[in-house]
């Protein structure tokens, strides 16, 4: 089972041996919590797979906004614990790059709000002779203004992701992470490491400070 809530797309899909059996994607950045588990259950039903039959959970670990990303990470951790299966956290930008055809370096960028983007750059397949290693990240993930990214210096020839149209480059690949991309990245990493979200910056919400003392 592959999950991602790093963008407004709430994604759940079942993949077996590199084949997508079922997928549910709902676009609503304000309802990650309400939509994710129904998507998981619908994807399992369509694939003819019961939750206890899953071998692993793969989840996009961001970068992404705090609230939405946390929904996917917590859900994946809970499923893994309940089912007794490993949980693989992978960079969501890597998952987009993994299924984006590009004859050269690729830029992947998604919306970070505040007029900024989350982004990373990847090398083209010729950099490693198509040896089945998948794309490799050259730099990132970072967060910043789109205009601050040195596209020419990175030698990128195309862009993918929800903010791909901001750079004057050909747009290639999916706008959001796909189940196939998530699983492909997890397969490259092998044994899962600690499940840690890539927030890249602090959440807007902060604990309240001490109350000011009022003297008569």
């Amino acid at each position: 089972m592959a999950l991602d809530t790093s963008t407004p797309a709430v994604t759940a899909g079942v993949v077996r041996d590199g084949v997508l059996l079922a997928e549910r994607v709902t676009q609503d950045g304000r309802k990650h919590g309400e939509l994710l588990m129904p998507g998981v259950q619908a994807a399992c039903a369509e694939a003819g797979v019961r939750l206890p039959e899953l071998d692993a959970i793969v989840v996009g670990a961001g970068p992404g906004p705090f609230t939405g990303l946390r929904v996917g990470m917590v859900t994946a951790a809970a499923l893994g614990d309940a089912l007794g299966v490993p949980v693989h956290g992978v960079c969501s930008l890597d998952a987009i790059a993994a299924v984006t055809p590009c004859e050269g370096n690729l830029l992947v960028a998604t919306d970070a709000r505040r007029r900024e983007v989350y982004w990373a750059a990847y090398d083209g397949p010729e950099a490693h002779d198509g040896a089945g290693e998948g794309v490799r990240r050259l730099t990132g993930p970072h967060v910043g203004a789109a205009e601050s990214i040195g596209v020419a210096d990175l030698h990128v020839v195309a862009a993918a992701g929800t903010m791909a149209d901001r750079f004057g480059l050909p747009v290639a690949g999916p706008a959001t992470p796909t189940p196939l991309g998530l699983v492909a990245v997890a397969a490259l990493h092998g044994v899962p490491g600690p499940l840690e979200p890539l927030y890249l910056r602090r959440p807007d919400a902060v604990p309240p400070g001490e109350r000011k003392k009022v003297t008569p």
Side-chain angles (χ1 to χ4, degrees):
M1 173 62 67
L3 316 173
D4 190 88
T5 55
S6 66
T7 73
V10 182
T11 299
V14 180
V15 177
R16 177 185 291 155
D17 298 328
V19 177
L20 180 64
L21 301 183
E23 179 183 28
R24 286 293 183 276
V25 180
T26 307
Q27 296 283 345
D28 194 330
R30 297 181 179 275
K31 292 186 177 181
H32 290 98
E34 294 91 334
L35 297 172
L36 184 55
M37 274 310 297
V40 168
Q41 294 167 334
C44 282
E46 182 179 333
V49 175
R50 297 184 303 112
L51 282 174
E53 296 174 325
L54 296 174
D55 294 324
I57 309 295
V58 181
V59 61
F66 182 83
T67 302
L69 186 57
R70 183 173 56 180
V71 169
M73 301 289 287
V74 169
T75 300
L79 284 172
D81 184 62
L83 301 174
V85 298
V87 180
H88 301 255
V90 303
C91 175
S92 300
L93 303 180
D94 290 0
I96 295 174
V99 292
T100 299
C102 183
E103 295 301 321
N105 291 355
L106 174 72
L107 178 69
V108 178
T110 57
D111 190 3
R113 304 175 184 172
R114 304 182 192 174
R115 299 182 180 179
E116 293 183 331
V117 298
Y118 298 116
W119 68 276
Y122 300 82
D123 65 13
E126 70 280 359
H128 40 84
D129 300 322
E133 301 175 21
V135 293
R136 291 183 296 192
R137 204 186 310 150
L138 297 173
T139 184
H142 305 293
V143 61
E147 56 270 22
S148 70
I149 301 172
V151 172
D153 295 334
L154 294 168
H155 305 293
V156 291
V157 300
T162 57
M163 305 296 280
D165 60 354
R166 298 296 181 92
F167 304 96
L169 295 166
V171 175
T176 59
T178 66
L180 285 175
L182 292 161
V183 172
V185 175
L188 290 173
H189 291 176
V191 179
L195 196 60
E196 298 178 350
L198 296 169
Y199 293 129
L200 298 193
R201 64 186 180 200
R202 291 181 175 274
D204 292 330
V206 295
E210 288 187 28
R211 291 187 177 181
K212 293 183 179 180
K213 293 181 179 180
V214 178
T215 55

